[in-house]
Amino acid sequence: MRIIALDDTSMKDILTDLLKRDPNNYGEYENTVREIVERIRKEGDTALFEYTRRFDGAAMNPASIRVTEKEIREAMKEVDPALLAVMKKSMENIRRYHEKQIKNSWFDTQPDGTILGQKVTALESVGVYVPGGKAAYPSTVLMDIIPAKVAGAERIVMVTPPGKDGKVNPVTLIAAHLAGANEVYKAGGAQAIAALAFGTESIPRVDKIVGPGNIFVALAKKAVYGHVSIDSIAGPSEILVIADKTADPRYVAADLLSQAEHDELASAILVTDSMELAEQVSEQADSFLEQLSRRDIIRCSLDNYGYILVTDSMEQAVETANRIAPEHLEIVTERPFEVMTKIRNAGAIFIGEYSSEPLGDYFAGPNHTLPTNGTARFFSPLGVDDFVKKSSIIYYSKEALKKAHKEIEAFAEAEQLTAHANSIRVRFEEEE
Amino acid sequence: MRIIALDDTSMKDILTDLLKRDPNNYGEYENTVREIVERIRKEGDTALFEYTRRFDGAAMNPASIRVTEKEIREAMKEVDPALLAVMKKSMENIRRYHEKQIKNSWFDTQPDGTILGQKVTALESVGVYVPGGKAAYPSTVLMDIIPAKVAGAERIVMVTPPGKDGKVNPVTLIAAHLAGANEVYKAGGAQAIAALAFGTESIPRVDKIVGPGNIFVALAKKAVYGHVSIDSIAGPSEILVIADKTADPRYVAADLLSQAEHDELASAILVTDSMELAEQVSEQADSFLEQLSRRDIIRCSLDNYGYILVTDSMEQAVETANRIAPEHLEIVTERPFEVMTKIRNAGAIFIGEYSSEPLGDYFAGPNHTLPTNGTARFFSPLGVDDFVKKSSIIYYSKEALKKAHKEIEAFAEAEQLTAHANSIRVRFEEEE
């Protein structure tokens, strides 16, 4: 891996490079996606089946598009029982962590009879997109569905593209079944997102769509945003490790490579104040690389978006992490909790040398659907909050409104909204 | 106002009519907005000043675009001291209510040394859009800025279009000053949104953009979503009143008209099981109408999007409210708190006959920036949560990881992510 002594110029270049991966920059596909979305909205199933034939090579009809109980039973036979046991353990951890995120409705009273508060209500229906293709990522299925279940969503609808044989990946199906999906439909791409947003004859409209996908899925989610809610638009994955000379270079190198294997756009960055560690990690990375099955992808992503940045101080290392706002941040320093207090921008923070990033991907419980590509500046990990909405509660007694009515009328008049003022005034006009 | 006996067909027609107001349907302006956004992104101030000249008729330069202390002092002289006093009282209520929304970071420990949690951090910078034009809405300025301040945002940047004279509305300016805006820039429309999203030489890039605007502003917010966070895309306003025969028809009619005066797309709906109340409210509305200064707007919005719906039961009335998912919902029935428990979808719920909707617009404290046009199914009122983001916290001790390491490796191998498995394995290979 390349080693760079960090200064303002190299920092700017790196930030520019990283942002090239932004899924929001692929304007060239926007018109295609818009056309797909509009056709699904107008034509429903007809357009959906046509796109599924064209893009997935599968013939679907109203009877075959929904996964049946029988298909689930058959899929169950194909899944390794050992994997099933691990998934169940992982599910338990995910559920327990997310249950701690549940927020109550609340209210506050005043002696004059005023009640103000917030009513928290689960979304009624949630759509979960799961990509198809060769690899199945059951961990993502668990991470997307369980928080919605914990929040209390009544109807969880999963969509995933069918293979040419009209079947969906059995592991994906079983993960969805275990996690509690109520309905699974064989549809993928922008057309599946549009179907969830507007509804078709076969697929119900939902309130929110979550889950990762390719560029067409990402752009379709953005296109339907506002008609439904969406989780953030997922970009390529990143890891940033802050380490000092006390870190074990083998662990750091292994963790960097673990993110680099996701795809060619993934980014792995070490920031350290120790040139010695920098050199050791670089060597270790090279030596691991030879043994890893996905070495071609890793090499490509490290060449493009992998960096070992050497800083003058740990303060500069922390500042660098905050500027990059990585999806995954590992802190492997002498006093990692002290460093954590200074982190403003990161999706998930892994603290200490035994909190390796894949622990979070699979097992610990916190969600692995995290803000990518610098969006940790303003987006949060997927969680229970994503599957509830709030309503303000306002109750004023006659006494309380009477105390305030002249002020409210004055404010409304100042904004020239005289019907607003009138609605307060009529309640007291007979008394004056 | 027209009175309709509600059935499935009329319900569907009304839902279709209401959705015609959706700002997401104005595809025709999308290309214009995209061009403006791209030019600001590439050319910065040059494009910004050009658009400001073209759309606002004002000549701006790097020295004049930012509002100065002197301009604020001058604006202060122009504001009615009585309005200032009301704004301060209102601000106090807004601040107190939003302070109750503050959430702490939290963590949870296990006996094996595991620490899991969420770190809550305020966004660093927030952009607030305030429309220009003849009318000033200082209440909206307060509602947008105060929650960001309460959340702890360091830098609050307001943008608002200048008049031809290069000045901004004094009341808007003073509201921003009182609420705690750090910087105010004279820029409006899609160009101001793009400037906040990408930064120009004069205007800093922010993490999140909030505030209402016209269709160009709404589409620009959607276009930059993902580069920054945004609040929901604001559509036209609505009120829905659920009332039974115990309601005072004068109060109900006045409240319906108060929302109808916002603009021609505003919607005012009464749902009641009492034909007698329906007729009385209709009459009252006509009689108020003649006295109100904005009667032309009110008449237009009532003709297009005003309804008095008569249901067979209060259950059907509640079901209707949940399907429409109104921005503002008033419950004026014999036992309004019981009805409230059945409401799933509403931005703000006003309970009882003295909780008139304008009370919430100006005074009570809960935010008046609310999800419109059916989006209360999935969006929430603006609040402190909008100005913070969360980071997951994961700490495993060696002991804790050791207990789990084989399961994590198995899960990673099942997803064919061998570098993920490797990063866990290296930590224990010497012990086995």
Side-chain angles (χ1 to χ4, degrees), chain A residues 116-117 392-394, chain B residues 93-94 97-98 143 360-361 363-368:
Chain A
L116 301 177
S392 305
I393 297 293
I394 301 176
Chain B
N93 288 343
I94 299 168
Y97 176 80
H98 285 85
M143 292 287 184
D361 283 345
F363 195 78
N367 212 289
H368 80 200

Side-chain angles (χ1 to χ4, degrees), chain A residues 207 250 345 377 385 429, chain B residues 207 250 377 389 429:
Chain A
D207 294 327
R250 269 177 76 76
N345 303 325
R377 287 190 296 125
D385 288 349
E429 60 194 354
Chain B
D207 293 328
R250 270 178 75 77
R377 289 190 294 125
K389 72 314 183 34
E429 62 194 353

Side-chain angles (χ1 to χ4, degrees), chain B residues 71-72 74-79 87 136 167-176:
Chain B
E71 287 177 292
I72 294 170
E74 282 166 8
M76 189 63 97
K77 292 180 207 152
E78 294 184 51
V79 178
M87 285 205 286
K167 289 187 179 175
V168 301
N169 186 298
V171 176
T172 297
L173 201 51
I174 292 310

